Amino acid sequence: MLGAPLKPEMPSAAGSVDRRALVAELAGAVGARHTRTDADSLAPLLVDERGRYHGEAIAAVWPADTASVATVVRLCAAAGVAVVPQGGNTGLCGGATPRRKAPSVVLSLRRMREVRHIDRLGRSITVGAGATVSEVADAAASAGMLFPLSFGAEGTAQIGGALSTNAGGTNVLRYGSARAFTLGLEVVLADGRVARLGRGLRKDNTGYDLKHLFVGSEGTLGVICEATLALYPLPRQRATAMATVAGPAESIELLARLQEAADGRVSTCEWMSPTTRRLACEPPGGARDPFGGGPESLILVELTSGRAGDETHRLLEEVLAEALEAGIIGDAAVADSSAAAERLWQVREAPPAAEKRAGGSIKHDLALQPARAPEFVERAVAAVGAVLPGVQINAFGHLGDGNIHFNLLAPKGEAPEVLFDKERPLTAAVFDAAEALGGSFSAEHGIGQRWRHELARRKHPVALDLMHRIKATLDPEGILNPGKVL
């Protein structure tokens, strides 16, 4: 029998909360300067990055350390008020936006951004949850090491939020997602206790590995305050190339050849559909197509090595030459400088802004076994075309690890409302296509508010039951980020 969620939503009777008393207690815990209730301070914290979700909050607080976070959580729990942890607020599923008509306090980790320790021999870094992903990477680089997490919002996204959503990005193929390099966490639980999980050890076989419960939990089980993360050798060689391909099947074939030849050095394999290529490179503000435009898909690959020399560059050229001769690719451009590599990356990074210029999109973030990605694209294209003829398909993503962003735009010449009026059947068609091939409807964006109903419908019932039981055990009163995930 499935376990029901215990108090899944906070009480809606916000008037029963003594707001003035709670705000005074919060100010005593974190300082009056770091406790805000005015509309101007709260406004940017109450809406998600896409403007899709809007919420309400009694106050926002910016604690400076774990002890202050614990005090905030205890005060809110005693008052029956929800705690909504928020990092850089760059998520795409409303996971960091408080709900409406529910008394909430937004807890920002922005002040907790210091780099606390770098272990060069053990190759790890310990940071506060408020440090941005870029700040962690820069600190690692200054110590001669690599922190491999990289994605479009890395300059704003905070490491606590990235861990809470198990962020992926462009280097998952080689290094894994956020969970793969999480060695230890300091977490505040719903009752205000502080749990120190993992000690930066590469091996620690002392029972359940509890830290992984909190990676990907989106703040619903605890508030991540500190993280110890694995580092890697800083690449001394980087070879980047872009090629034209007929579609994802040819991209998979090129990837297979690269992996066989490169002995673990393939760090990136990004595919872009013809629509993605056009959107990325058209004015205003478009990137430069290295091939001058065309109807084919594009693939961006990158190889890295910790060894000195240029054999990685030569190896990439050799594999591309063989693929060209075999008809797998149509043309290729190998970057001969870091500036040239950056220009190729600009093509891959342009689609999100291009979608906004085109009037918005319906975003889907799918995970499949890489070998099944071509069949998924074929099925999903047919399925959405049957729902909305002429729909534009902006499909791109991290093909090397099977993560496809299958985004939809309105048919050419049609208003965006034509697209959004069909959002439910279009999304069902995409998710059904992924599910039929053993895929997941969320690869790296998480669940948040947006996909709760899909999780309830598509998650295996036993797994869903376990999730509810874990939530009820760790947060029986539903204090932490209610209305998200479950």
Side-chain angles (χ1 to χ4, degrees):
M1 185 169 126
L2 295 184
L6 190 57
K7 296 188 179 180
E9 302 284 356
M10 293 298 295
S12 60
S16 64
V17 176
D18 188 341
R19 296 181 177 221
R20 183 173 298 178
L22 177 59
V23 170
E25 290 178 318
L26 293 171
V30 305
R33 289 181 55 201
H34 307 297
T35 304
R36 305 303 296 267
T37 60
D38 60 287
D40 288 344
S41 297
L42 293 180
L45 309 178
L46 303 182
V47 60
D48 71 308
E49 191 273 340
R50 297 187 69 199
R52 189 183 182 103
Y53 298 98
H54 297 76
E56 300 173 2
I58 294 171
V61 294
W62 288 264
D65 52 37
T66 300
S68 299
V69 173
T71 300
V72 168
V73 172
R74 283 195 296 268
L75 291 172
C76 289
V81 170
V83 176
V84 180
Q86 190 172 104
N89 200 18
T90 62
L92 298 177
C93 298
T97 307
R99 305 277 280 180
R100 288 189 181 276
K101 299 180 180 179
S104 304
V105 168
V106 175
L107 192 158
S108 171
L109 284 299
R110 187 178 63 197
R111 293 176 67 205
M112 300 169 57
R113 62 194 309 162
E114 67 273 19
V115 175
R116 296 173 180 171
H117 180 64
I118 296 179
D119 181 350
R120 288 175 170 81
L121 183 61
R123 287 182 178 172
S124 69
I125 185 171
T126 301
V127 297
T132 67
V133 174
S134 290
E135 287 171 342
V136 178
D138 290 345
S142 69
M145 288 177 282
L146 171 72
F147 179 62
L149 186 60
S150 180
F151 51 90
E154 62 190 33
T156 305
Q158 296 172 14
I159 196 65
L163 295 178
S164 75
T165 54
N166 189 30
T170 57
N171 289 323
V172 172
L173 175 60
R174 180 165 182 178
Y175 299 100
S177 57
R179 181 175 283 115
F181 37 82
T182 301
L183 301 178
L185 294 176
E186 186 174 82
V187 181
V188 171
L189 303 178
D191 59 7
R193 289 183 297 164
V194 178
R196 294 177 176 86
L197 309 171
R199 295 166 289 174
L201 304 176
R202 300 285 177 160
K203 292 183 177 180
D204 184 5
N205 203 8
T206 52
Y208 306 136
D209 196 348
L210 297 174
K211 65 180 179 291
H212 290 311
L213 277 177
F214 299 91
V215 180
S217 70
E218 301 188 39
T220 62
L221 301 181
V223 182
I224 296 174
C225 295
E226 178 184 278
T228 300
L229 307 162
L231 301 178
Y232 302 85
L234 197 64
R236 301 176 71 182
Q237 295 182 58
R238 188 181 301 272
T240 309
M242 184 171 279
T244 61
V245 287
E250 291 75 16
S251 299
I252 289 292
E253 176 61 27
L254 177 61
L255 172 63
R257 287 175 173 243
L258 281 168
Q259 288 179 317
E260 184 176 350
D263 190 27
R265 283 175 281 178
V266 184
S267 58
T268 298
C269 178
E270 301 285 308
W271 172 73
M272 290 152 277
S273 68
T275 297
T276 307
R277 178 183 184 180
R278 173 179 58 80
L279 288 171
C281 299
E282 68 184 9
R288 189 173 77 184
D289 191 316
F291 310 106
E296 307 93 345
S297 297
L298 296 176
I299 182 171
L300 174 70
V301 294
E302 192 162 85
L303 278 61
T304 56
S305 173
R307 299 177 180 178
D310 62 355
E311 72 269 14
T312 300
H313 195 276
R314 291 198 302 270
L315 173 65
L316 179 56
E317 288 183 327
E318 290 172 4
V319 174
L320 290 173
E322 293 171 359
L324 183 63
E325 186 176 351
I328 297 169
I329 63 175
D331 201 353
V334 181
D336 56 7
S337 66
S338 58
E342 178 61 26
R343 286 193 293 272
L344 296 180
W345 271 104
Q346 286 171 358
V347 179
R348 169 59 184 87
E349 292 167 351
E355 285 183 349
K356 290 182 179 180
R357 292 196 299 270
S361 63
I362 300 175
K363 296 182 184 295
H364 304 108
D365 168 47
L366 297 311
L368 300 113
Q369 296 176 6
R372 308 205 78 171
E375 184 180 359
F376 161 75
V377 171
E378 182 179 355
R379 287 191 182 200
V381 166
V384 297
V387 174
L388 181 61
V391 63
Q392 297 185 75
I393 298 163
N394 184 27
F396 62 95
H398 321 300
L399 190 67
D401 57 60
N403 180 191
I404 300 295
H405 300 299
F406 196 86
N407 299 346
L408 306 178
L409 291 85
K412 288 185 177 180
E414 299 281 355
E417 288 73 22
V418 172
L419 175 74
F420 297 121
D421 287 345
K422 296 279 189 178
E423 181 167 5
R424 286 192 177 183
L426 286 168
T427 291
V430 174
F431 287 176
D432 287 348
E435 191 171 23
L437 296 172
S440 166
F441 68 89
S442 179
E444 62 181 3
H445 290 171
I447 302 299
Q449 300 181 50
R450 187 179 185 193
W451 301 125
R452 287 196 311 159
H453 62 290
E454 294 291 349
L455 185 75
R457 187 160 74 91
R458 297 178 185 274
K459 193 77 172 177
H460 189 278
V462 175
L464 191 63
D465 180 39
L466 291 173
M467 291 176 68
H468 279 300
R469 290 172 184 267
I470 291 168
K471 173 67 172 176
T473 298
L474 292 178
D475 184 19
E477 299 300 322
I479 293 294
L480 296 175
N481 211 11
K484 318 297 170 54
V485 183
L486 296 173

